[in-house]
Amino acid sequence: MKVAVLSGGVGGARFVRGVVDVAGEHAVTVIGNVGDDVEVLGMHVSPDLDSILYVLAGLNDQERGWGRAGETWNALDVVRELGGADWFALGDRDPRPPPVRTQALRAGEPLSAVTARLAASLGVETRLLPATDDRLRTWLDTPAGSFPFQEWFVARGHRDEVDAVRFEGADAARPAPGTLGALAEADLILFAPSNPYVSIGPILAVRELREALAARRVPCVAVSPLIAGRAVKGPADRMLRRLAGGTSPSHVAGCYAGLVDALVVDEADAEDLDGLGDVRPVVTRTLMRDADARRRLAEVALGAVPA
Ligand code: GDP
Ligand code: CA
């Protein structure tokens, strides 16, 4: 069985780990979000791709929930001491992919090729592809103005309500090599319980990827990022309330209209399954508190629609 998973960063990576544990590392291709990518201190950072890499390599910090285990912040202290931009928490071990990645990108290597190399050097066998090699950046329109993703999310602590999400560069962005093939070859497509607007949205903004998903001949199953109508972490619930008008399973499914056949929802949201239309609800416990819970959720998602 071949599986393609669309994923954002930390929340998505946890789910991807479960899917890889259940389906096998060679059965899975991950298509990752690059709308969060940012240039910090002259370096190209791909936070979502790195979150997935660290989790698949077993290098992620479990307690903090993001970044690498055993991280130190000496370089950032020096940046601060020198009055440099210290708003983006780049750890001493974290920048290892950025300088390597930045140098390769400047030399003309596509992001997909650099990502494959980083994955191989970390011992990750699962294929991880950026949605696109082209420049695609998420912007948020808010009452306080328009901000690039990381400025809104990190520097402003995603406190501004979001009126609209835009994807700079999406019109011209081509799918990265391997992504269309992975979708065409997959027996099953999964959307991780990532933020629909700012993690899965930028992937769907690549026109040919969206068209391939709309024309799929295999089931596509999304997992809701909400439990009892609330995000486990981050702004997904606030965004859904303001942009979709609510936080029920049908509001989540509405973000993926025409693209998914089933939505895995938490038991805590099972009371309100109206308005799902053709999308089949699959109710289970969705909190990935540990490896077992991750695997159980992956098993449910993998078995949600009879192949
Ligand atoms: P980011 O790119 O690091 O922000 O991560 P993602 O977009 O991939 O994931 C963030 C989303 O994951 C949030 O909306 C959370 O509500 C959701 N999430 C995190 N952990 C869990 C979990 O254990 N279960 C479910 N259902 N959703 C989760
Ligand atoms: Ca992200």
Side-chain angles (χ1 to χ4, degrees):
M1 175 156 173
K2 286 190 180 150
V3 185
V5 191
L6 273 57
S7 175
V10 174
R14 277 194 205 131
F15 177 72
V16 164
R17 177 81 227 193
V19 174
V20 167
D21 286 350
V22 174
E25 55 188 0
H26 299 291
V28 179
T29 298
V30 185
I31 301 178
N33 171 37
V34 295
D36 296 14
D37 284 22
V38 62
E39 282 72 35
V40 195
L41 299 166
M43 289 186 285
H44 180 109
V45 186
S46 297
D48 286 5
L49 296 180
D50 286 347
S51 292
I52 298 165
L53 275 181
Y54 293 157
V55 169
L56 288 178
L59 296 170
N60 57 303
D61 189 291
Q62 313 248 357
E63 263 166 48
R64 195 173 51 240
W66 54 270
R68 275 185 78 148
E71 188 59 277
T72 54
W73 311 92
N74 298 313
L76 196 65
D77 286 344
V78 174
V79 168
R80 192 172 297 128
E81 192 175 277
L82 297 175
D86 65 350
W87 60 276
F88 193 89
L90 214 47
D92 295 332
R93 300 164 72 86
D94 207 26
R96 239 187 273 175
V100 174
R101 177 185 286 126
T102 305
Q103 189 188 26
L105 291 173
R106 285 203 185 126
E109 202 178 338
L111 182 60
S112 53
V114 189
T115 304
R117 231 154 27 76
L118 291 175
S121 67
L122 292 172
V124 171
E125 304 267 336
T126 297
R127 197 152 62 126
L128 170 61
L129 305 171
T132 180
D133 280 336
D134 298 323
R135 187 186 155 86
L136 186 155
R137 293 289 183 275
T138 302
W139 283 75
L140 295 308
D141 294 339
T142 83
S146 294
F147 302 102
F149 179 82
Q150 297 294 356
E151 204 175 316
W152 168 73
F153 194 86
V154 175
R156 299 178 66 86
H158 52 76
R159 64 173 182 264
D160 314 281
E161 297 296 339
V162 174
D163 294 318
V165 185
R166 289 184 287 118
F167 306 107
E168 179 194 347
D171 287 348
R174 301 288 323 279
T179 52
L180 287 174
L183 293 176
E185 284 169 17
D187 301 300
L188 176 69
I189 300 166
L190 299 174
F191 290 5
S194 296
N195 186 309
Y197 292 106
V198 293
S199 290
I200 304 295
I203 304 173
L204 302 179
V206 179
R207 187 176 43 81
E208 287 168 80
L209 290 181
R210 174 180 277 276
E211 285 170 358
L213 287 162
R216 73 196 176 283
R217 291 163 182 274
V218 297
C220 179
V221 178
V223 182
S224 171
L226 304 186
I227 298 181
R230 302 177 66 159
V232 176
K233 210 178 162 201
D237 48 1
R238 279 168 53 217
M239 297 183 81
L240 273 155
R241 211 171 294 122
R242 192 167 169 103
L243 294 170
T247 59
S248 74
S250 71
H251 293 105
V252 175
C255 296
Y256 303 138
L259 303 178
V260 301
D261 304 291
L263 180 70
V264 179
V265 303
D266 196 86
E267 288 174 356
D269 300 295
E271 303 285 288
D272 186 8
L273 298 176
D274 295 343
L276 281 170
D278 291 345
V279 177
R280 191 168 113 195
V282 178
V283 178
T284 189
R285 259 182 257 172
T286 69
L287 185 64
M288 298 177 283
R289 71 175 80 228
D290 56 23
D292 271 352
R294 251 176 1 223
R295 273 195 291 271
R296 276 198 305 272
L297 179 58
E299 275 166 7
V300 170
L302 287 163
V305 175

